[in-house]
Amino acid sequence: MSVCCCCVGSAPPRGGGGSKRQSMYDKYQDYSNKWDVTMCDAPCAEPCCCCYGCLPCTFLCANWQMRKRVLNAQSPGSGLKNYICVQGYVPKCCCGLWNPGHMGETHCPATCLCCEACCCPGMVITASRLLAMDMYAIQPDPCDNRLIRFNNCLQLLACICHILALCNDAFRDLACIIDCIADCVFLSTAGCMMGQLHRELDVRKKSQQGGGPVAPDLPGLDVIVVAPPKANTINERGDGNPPTFEDVDLEELYEPRTVEV
């Protein structure tokens, strides 16, 4: 699989005529952050989560739980309150039959998410991933682009073989073989996405609990530190009256000092 992925380009889908969909993809290239682990490294970094997300018997449950987790990372404690079908990343189409946000999500979000996971397994994990990329301003990784494109090419090839099999029975066996390979690659790709998302959410959560990012260690940097005002609990004038502004020595109160970091 890795050898086949090398034959697929890693360049982002950019500059496609200025359409709305292309503009949506272009914005991700302007993001500055990166994934904590790529999809290629996700199986080693999060093996249990990748297995949970790629097994056919647990794939749907994993997608349901991951979407809920991403939504709660966006709005803690909201549950599925902010859920809409594919989070609006696929716009209205099919003469209004497909209209995210107006398909019953408000009344029964859990059921709608379950239907999305069953009927659109590819979009459910992709929408969760795109939502996380928007939340944390993460740009796509070239390795991830290769994996996703390789999966898409196999799905398209399987579809073409099935169409040819309708015209010629000689393609029937080939269509079944390509279909089986495409399914395995799809589940593997989805598992890698699941592990990548799980790792990213864990890292972001720990970062927030730890009080945000830590200042970098820059050797030789001189930092000017301002000392706090000295507390005067005893009247230094000795006449029974509180000290006035004229009695305060500002140079004594604020003594800047240089600290070598």
Side-chain angles (χ1 to χ4, degrees), residues 237 242-250:
R237 295 179 60 179
T244 62
F245 182 77
E246 289 77 7
D247 299 324
V248 179
D249 187 355
L250 296 179

Side-chain angles (χ1 to χ4, degrees), residues 113-133:
L113 179 55
C114 183
C115 293
E116 180 187 340
C118 294
C119 301
C120 309
M123 282 307 305
V124 67
I125 181 62
T126 300
S128 299
R129 186 171 181 267
L130 292 177
L131 180 59
M133 293 172 69

Side-chain angles (χ1 to χ4, degrees), residues 65-257:
Q65 293 171 347
M66 183 56 67
R67 175 66 64 79
K68 183 178 180 181
R69 187 182 177 192
V70 174
L71 289 172
N72 280 268
Q74 182 186 39
S75 300
S78 62
L80 294 175
K81 183 179 179 181
N82 297 324
Y83 165 77
I84 62 174
C85 191
V86 297
Q87 296 309 123
Y89 287 105
V90 178
K92 177 182 177 180
C93 59
C94 300
C95 300
L97 295 178
W98 176 274
N99 191 7
H102 303 277
M103 302 170 66
E105 300 99 319
T106 305
H107 304 289
C108 47
T111 303
C112 291
L113 179 55
C114 183
C115 293
E116 180 187 340
C118 294
C119 301
C120 309
M123 282 307 305
V124 67
I125 181 62
T126 300
S128 299
R129 186 171 181 267
L130 292 177
L131 180 59
M133 293 172 69
D134 281 329
M135 286 166 48
Y136 303 127
I138 301 175
Q139 62 178 215
D141 183 80
C143 180
D144 297 352
N145 292 337
R146 283 195 178 98
L147 286 175
I148 295 172
R149 282 176 177 167
F150 178 64
N151 169 74
N152 294 343
C153 289
L154 280 181
Q155 303 304 322
L156 181 59
L157 180 61
C159 182
I160 293 174
C161 289
H162 278 291
I163 294 176
L164 293 176
L166 296 176
C167 304
N168 190 338
D169 291 340
F171 290 96
R172 192 174 300 277
D173 293 338
L174 178 62
C176 292
I177 294 174
I178 298 297
D179 202 15
C180 182
I181 296 175
D183 288 343
C184 293
V185 172
F186 169 76
L187 289 173
S188 300
T189 304
C192 292
M193 284 188 179
M194 195 75 62
Q196 184 185 55
L197 262 176
H198 176 76
R199 177 61 172 264
E200 191 68 29
L201 294 175
D202 282 349
V203 169
R204 299 286 177 171
K205 184 177 180 180
K206 292 179 181 178
S207 177
Q208 293 175 357
Q209 291 177 348
V214 180
D217 185 12
L218 302 177
L221 177 65
D222 292 336
V223 181
I224 302 299
V225 181
V226 179
K230 296 180 180 180
N232 293 326
T233 56
I234 302 177
N235 180 14
E236 297 179 354
R237 295 179 60 179
D239 56 0
N241 296 319
T244 62
F245 182 77
E246 289 77 7
D247 299 324
V248 179
D249 187 355
L250 296 179
E251 294 182 356
E252 181 182 356
L253 288 177
Y254 296 94
E255 299 177 353
R257 61 183 182 274

